[in-house]
Amino acid sequence: MASPLEGGADALLLDLPRGPLQAYRARASFCWKELVLFLEGEDVLRLKKTIFSTLENDPLFARSHEEDISLDRYRELSFLRCKRIMEYNLLPLEDMVANPLWFQVFTNCLGMYDWSLAIRLLLNMVTFGLAIYNLGSERHLKYLPKIFNMEIFGCFAVTELSHGSNAKAIRTTAHYDPITQEFIIHSPDFEAAKFWVGNMGKTATHAVVFAQLYTPEGQCHGLHPFVVQIRNPKTLLPMPGVMIGDMGKKVGLNGIDNGFAMFHKVRIPRQDLLNRNGEVTLEGTYVTPFKDDRQRFGASLGTLSMGRVAIVGMSTVNLKLAVSIALRFSATRCQFGPSDEEEVPVLEYQMQAELGREIHALVSASKPLASWTAQKGIQECREACGGHGYLAVNRLGDLRNDNDPNCTYEGDNNILLQQTSSYLLSLLASRIERGVRLESPLKTVDFLEAYPEILGQRFSCPSINSCLDSSVPLAAYEWLVCYLLLESYQKLNEEKRSGRNDFEARNNSQVYYCRPLALAFLELTVVRRFHEYTHQPSVPPPLRAILGRLSALYALWTLSQHMALLYQGGYFSGKEAGKMIQNAILTLCSQLKDDAVALVDVIAPPDFVLDSPIGRADGELYKNLWTTVLQESEVLKRPSWWLEFTVNKPRVGSLKSKL
């Protein structure tokens, strides 16, 4: 469809190169530029264009694949690129403060190019920098300019060799010495070594270190954050008492130097305790504004929520890139057809198309849902591209490997889901036991107030067409969450009545109850937000149909994964209910097929950033692939080891004599 845009907006979105994909683009029911402008806005588009053009025009960012360079060189490039990005000042601090979401755009753009670069920047500026800003006080502001001009380079050290998700069990200690007014940071043994810390292996000069704080009388006041210098910024040699090392090559994200550190009675000034949530006076008296130690602990680890939000964005970007590559491939790769003379694009095959407390609860479930969805989706995209998807140069393998740690770091996914289910169970317990109204500031749980009435509802849809709006799966999801919440509550109480302690009761209630409850609740939240967004009055009329179909498809597809529970609880009955959901999904896929390439044009970055021969915007699949393979290979040359093999080749006779 032709672009209806004029002036500056159209100049930000250049026409895509003509080629084999043009046939699909011509069949689209909407203008891809109009949808990009609606979703992003001119300011964001301008920022993205600035970032992408800056990367493409700087020789330091010239593409070099990880397998072609050494580990040390990749990490060196990653660090130098991080430094260059800071020098460019593409997103000034005042703009970042005025528009916090712009930083996510900024990070995602860098991540599309290389997540090792983006995460290095995130760890230094956000995880390290924001920890100092949010957990410290005025006396710690001196660190912030040094972070932004890279006079110092930071990392965030919570995880230890023997403890990760269970942060309360961290064993690094910080004993206060009132005579010298210093804290003594110490690792009691190797199991207390800080482990898996990004930026720590080779480059970080400072760390926010979480340790158990002890006052002179020997009382432990729990986990607290400290700023600890771990290297000399000029020489990068470890500071006295700090044993530090690199963890070596990983499955992915090898541009980041994950490291470990042990501290042997390292002394730091009292002022380097980040004291927003707890302070120690000169004499050694502990003071805190929190009466409840659990609240103080939660406030101290609030920075982790920022990391989990970032992981949601990372997973989404990875899936966008994978879908962009796979779908452009599928639209140009022809295989078989109704006759020997006519081959059909792979895209035409049906299987290709089916491709605070409340915030804490939402974030805790968001990371598992996003990282697992991306993990499965990227693998589907890899398989959808057949053997070509296995070729490293096409980038799907790197996307899969770089996304993989999203499932484990910043909190184990299954542990995080327990935090979401615990939040929901506590709300229901208050409602049943004390009559407290079920509501929340963001209104994500307000529907639960009507749970008895919702549980009385049943699926009723007269035809497939009536299922093609996201309001149908939205109602089903509300029932599903109410059902799982009540079932989990009853299961938990049943376990407790059987004599099991709280830990055992919760542990025994996870697999078929609390875990699916947390996931279903977050899926419902996403479905509701998507539904509201696509049905708002501000949606331009030409975009309403396409956005409505996308909203309905996502809602029905995610709901279809809970089919057994919908039948088990009685919301579905008879085979027609399940068939209707499946047929509605297939109908929407068929309706969206002609829009698929244009939708990818909406989410795909420039070719330089996407960096995949089979995913380029011109659709010249075979030409691009052949050119790239020729560039990457040494055509008609013998392998370097061949001459040595032939010179030293043992004679048959000599082998027989030895035998």
Side-chain angles (χ1 to χ4, degrees):
M1 181 178 286
S3 171
L5 307 182
E6 296 179 358
D10 199 39
L12 290 171
L13 297 165
L14 301 179
D15 290 337
L16 296 168
R18 298 182 69 87
L21 289 173
Q22 196 60 34
Y24 272 105
R25 289 183 176 126
R27 286 152 59 181
S29 66
F30 68 101
C31 170
W32 72 271
K33 291 185 178 182
E34 188 177 6
L35 182 53
V36 173
L37 184 62
F38 174 69
L39 295 174
E40 307 268 28
E42 277 194 48
D43 290 339
V44 169
L45 288 177
R46 194 168 286 107
L47 174 62
K48 291 174 76 170
K49 186 171 184 178
T50 299
I51 295 168
F52 290 146
S53 61
T54 300
L55 297 178
E56 189 167 4
N57 293 323
D58 188 333
L60 182 61
F61 295 90
R63 282 293 188 180
S64 55
H65 295 104
E66 182 184 337
E67 63 271 13
D68 298 330
I69 56 177
S70 68
L71 181 63
D72 281 346
R73 177 57 179 159
Y74 184 28
R75 289 182 174 174
E76 179 189 8
L77 276 173
S78 179
F79 181 76
L80 291 175
R81 288 166 176 168
C82 182
K83 188 172 185 293
R84 182 68 58 84
I85 290 294
M86 297 294 286
E87 291 168 353
Y88 276 129
N89 196 25
L90 295 169
L91 184 62
L93 183 59
E94 56 270 23
D95 290 347
M96 198 185 309
V97 172
N99 304 282
L101 287 178
W102 282 19
F103 186 76
Q104 186 174 13
V105 174
F106 174 67
T107 306
N108 288 348
C109 287
L110 296 180
M112 289 181 189
Y113 171 79
D114 181 7
W115 275 117
S116 289
L117 165 63
I119 293 172
R120 265 190 181 278
L121 203 77
L122 266 173
L123 291 172
N124 180 50
M125 290 176 62
V126 178
T127 314
F128 176 67
L130 268 186
I132 291 176
Y133 181 78
N134 289 332
L135 301 178
S137 59
E138 189 174 354
R139 73 191 190 205
H140 301 106
L141 296 179
K142 63 181 181 181
Y143 287 110
L144 298 184
K146 296 179 180 180
I147 293 170
F148 279 86
N149 64 26
M150 288 191 71
E151 186 178 334
I152 64 176
F153 198 63
C155 61
F156 188 77
V158 179
T159 298
E160 295 179 353
L161 176 59
S162 61
H163 288 95
S165 298
N166 185 12
K168 287 185 178 180
I170 293 298
R171 297 175 59 240
T172 302
T173 59
H175 285 82
Y176 181 65
D177 181 351
I179 298 174
T180 61
Q181 296 178 17
E182 294 173 316
F183 283 100
I184 305 168
I185 309 296
H186 186 66
S187 308
D189 53 51
F190 76 93
E191 289 190 5
K194 294 298 179 184
F195 220 65
W196 277 116
V197 182
N199 287 351
M200 179 177 272
K202 299 281 188 183
T203 48
T205 61
H206 291 68
V208 169
V209 175
F210 278 77
Q212 303 289 350
L213 189 156
Y214 286 83
T215 41
E217 75 279 9
Q219 182 178 351
C220 178
H221 298 276
L223 209 60
H224 285 70
F226 302 82
V227 179
V228 181
Q229 183 174 345
I230 58 176
R231 282 190 179 91
N232 183 317
K234 294 182 179 179
T235 66
L236 287 186
L237 293 174
M239 298 299 289
V242 180
M243 186 182 81
I244 198 164
D246 185 85
M247 295 186 63
K249 191 167 185 177
K250 309 180 292 290
V251 172
L253 295 177
N254 279 301
I256 303 170
D257 51 326
N258 291 81
F260 61 87
M262 289 187 68
F263 303 95
H264 182 69
K265 299 180 180 178
V266 176
R267 288 179 172 267
I268 64 170
R270 180 187 70 90
Q271 291 85 350
D272 282 343
L273 163 66
L274 295 174
N275 61 336
R276 176 69 57 87
N277 301 318
E279 174 69 293
V280 174
T281 65
L282 293 173
E283 298 77 20
T285 302
Y286 179 78
V287 291
T288 178
F290 292 92
K291 294 180 180 179
D292 187 339
D293 189 58
R294 289 176 299 178
Q295 289 182 336
R296 182 200 59 74
F297 178 76
S300 296
L301 289 181
T303 304
L304 292 176
S305 290
M306 290 291 294
R308 290 163 187 164
V309 170
I311 289 171
V312 174
M314 291 165 59
S315 301
T316 304
V317 167
N318 287 335
L319 188 53
K320 282 182 179 179
L321 295 175
V323 167
S324 298
I325 295 168
L327 205 140
R328 283 176 174 170
F329 172 88
S330 298
T332 49
R333 172 75 161 175
C334 294
Q335 294 288 293
F336 307 107
S339 66
D340 291 341
E341 292 77 25
E342 182 185 358
E343 288 190 310
V344 176
V346 179
L347 178 60
E348 300 291 335
Y349 289 88
Q350 197 174 76
M351 285 298 293
Q352 291 287 325
E354 284 194 43
L355 289 181
R357 288 212 315 149
E358 186 179 9
I359 290 177
H360 179 73
L362 290 169
V363 170
S364 294
S366 294
K367 185 182 102 67
L369 179 62
S371 59
W372 279 334
T373 301
Q375 182 190 51
K376 295 172 186 174
I378 293 169
Q379 181 61 25
E380 280 194 35
C381 289
R382 211 293 293 156
E383 294 177 18
C385 295
H388 294 310
Y390 197 63
L391 200 61
V393 74
N394 286 323
R395 203 183 174 189
L396 289 165
D398 285 344
L399 289 173
R400 181 179 58 191
N401 292 342
D402 287 352
N403 183 78
D404 209 37
N406 289 339
C407 301
T408 48
Y409 56 24
E410 296 291 347
D412 176 270
N413 281 356
N414 290 296
I415 300 297
L416 292 176
L417 289 174
Q418 289 184 33
Q419 297 178 28
T420 304
S421 61
S422 294
Y423 166 74
L424 295 171
L425 286 165
S426 69
L427 294 177
L428 183 62
S430 297
R431 171 74 165 79
I432 292 175
E433 296 164 16
R434 301 196 304 277
V436 177
R437 185 176 178 81
L438 279 163
E439 57 186 358
S440 62
L442 297 178
K443 303 187 181 303
T444 58
V445 302
D446 288 16
F447 74 98
L448 290 172
E449 178 63 22
Y451 80 89
E453 293 79 16
I454 291 174
L455 286 174
Q457 297 172 2
R458 294 294 179 266
F459 178 76
S460 58
C461 222
S463 66
I464 292 174
N465 285 338
S466 59
C467 283
L468 301 183
D469 186 86
S470 46
S471 59
V472 172
L474 183 58
Y477 256 117
E478 288 189 347
W479 179 92
L480 180 63
V481 172
C482 290
Y483 171 74
L484 286 169
L485 180 57
L486 192 59
E487 288 284 302
S488 299
Y489 178 79
Q490 292 171 347
K491 171 66 174 174
L492 194 61
N493 287 336
E494 177 187 315
E495 292 289 328
K496 289 179 179 178
R497 285 194 298 270
S498 299
R500 294 179 176 86
N501 60 37
D502 189 63
F503 175 81
E504 291 173 330
R506 289 184 180 279
N507 196 45
N508 292 347
S509 304
Q510 291 304 315
V511 177
Y512 294 112
Y513 300 90
C514 297
R515 185 180 183 277
L517 165 64
L519 283 171
F521 170 68
L522 204 281
E523 288 167 359
L524 164 62
T525 304
V526 174
V527 167
R528 191 191 304 282
R529 291 290 183 264
F530 203 173
H531 175 84
E532 291 170 353
Y533 183 80
T534 56
H535 288 73
Q536 61 182 316
S538 61
V539 176
L543 301 179
R544 288 174 187 168
I546 184 68
L547 288 174
R549 290 184 191 123
L550 289 171
S551 174
L553 179 59
Y554 175 78
L556 288 166
W557 173 74
T558 54
L559 182 70
S560 69
Q561 298 172 76
H562 301 288
M563 210 85 85
L565 285 168
L566 293 167
Y567 275 109
Q568 178 182 305
Y571 186 74
F572 280 177
S573 60
K575 63 181 182 181
E576 290 305 316
K579 279 188 175 180
M580 194 170 290
I581 296 296
Q582 293 171 345
N583 288 331
I585 291 171
L586 296 177
T587 299
L588 286 166
C589 287
S590 177
Q591 292 176 357
L592 286 165
K593 182 183 61 184
D594 288 346
D595 290 319
V597 171
L599 286 168
V600 162
D601 293 338
V602 171
I603 63 174
D607 286 346
F608 170 78
V609 175
L610 186 60
D611 194 32
S612 174
I614 63 173
R616 287 181 189 156
D618 62 10
E620 296 285 359
L621 170 63
Y622 302 116
K623 178 181 175 182
N624 294 331
L625 192 57
W626 178 247
T627 302
T628 304
V629 170
L630 283 179
Q631 289 173 346
E632 296 282 325
S633 65
E634 297 183 1
V635 181
L636 299 179
K637 289 185 180 180
R638 289 182 303 194
S640 58
W641 45 264
W642 178 256
L643 185 60
E644 182 181 349
F645 174 79
T646 55
V647 170
N648 299 317
K649 184 177 180 181
R651 295 179 180 177
V652 176
S654 63
L655 282 175
K656 287 182 177 178
S657 64
K658 288 181 181 179
L659 292 173

